[in-house]
Amino acid sequence: MRLLTLLAGLCLATSSMAADVAAGRAKAATCAVCHGPQGLSTQPNVPHLAGQPEIYLAEQLRQYRSGKRAHEVMAVIAKPLTDAEIDNLAAWYASMQLRVEAP
């Protein structure tokens, strides 16, 4: 179990270092239509992307691309994405800092 945790951490660190946040930002123009220009959606059935964990975002995009996760719009959007583009998009949205204030 310890080895798996270590390997998962190394994979995440490698992915992060290889990703290009600026390229992800440029590619995110398509995402902004539904998820908002800053990754904060104004649509009730569309999730926020800003501040989400990089590994989570990359995994979800890969699942949409492969068809393991189904959504009519996301399947079309994710299908042509390369692994590098997915990593870059995930890095861009994960790099955004959110602040939560209690009422």
Side-chain angles (χ1 to χ4, degrees):
M1 186 63 155
R2 219 169 191 205
L3 180 58
L4 289 176
T5 304
L6 176 62
L7 289 174
L10 289 174
C11 289
L12 178 59
T14 302
S15 172
S16 245
M17 292 186 305
D20 182 341
V21 173
R25 182 179 188 175
K27 188 74 175 171
T30 302
C31 309
V33 173
C34 296
H35 295 281
Q38 298 299 314
L40 298 173
S41 172
T42 58
Q43 299 178 42
N45 63 340
V46 176
H48 299 310
L49 299 180
Q52 292 287 346
E54 186 174 345
I55 195 167
Y56 170 79
L57 293 169
E59 178 64 24
Q60 298 316 302
L61 282 171
R62 285 184 173 86
Q63 286 188 10
Y64 283 126
R65 182 178 67 182
S66 72
K68 287 182 183 176
R69 184 167 181 183
H71 186 275
E72 188 176 319
V73 174
M74 285 304 301
V76 173
I77 298 295
K79 187 77 169 171
L81 294 176
T82 66
D83 283 340
E85 289 171 327
I86 287 174
D87 290 342
N88 295 343
L89 283 165
W92 163 242
Y93 285 112
S95 74
M96 295 178 173
Q97 299 293 312
L98 299 178
R99 187 175 69 191
V100 177
E101 293 182 22

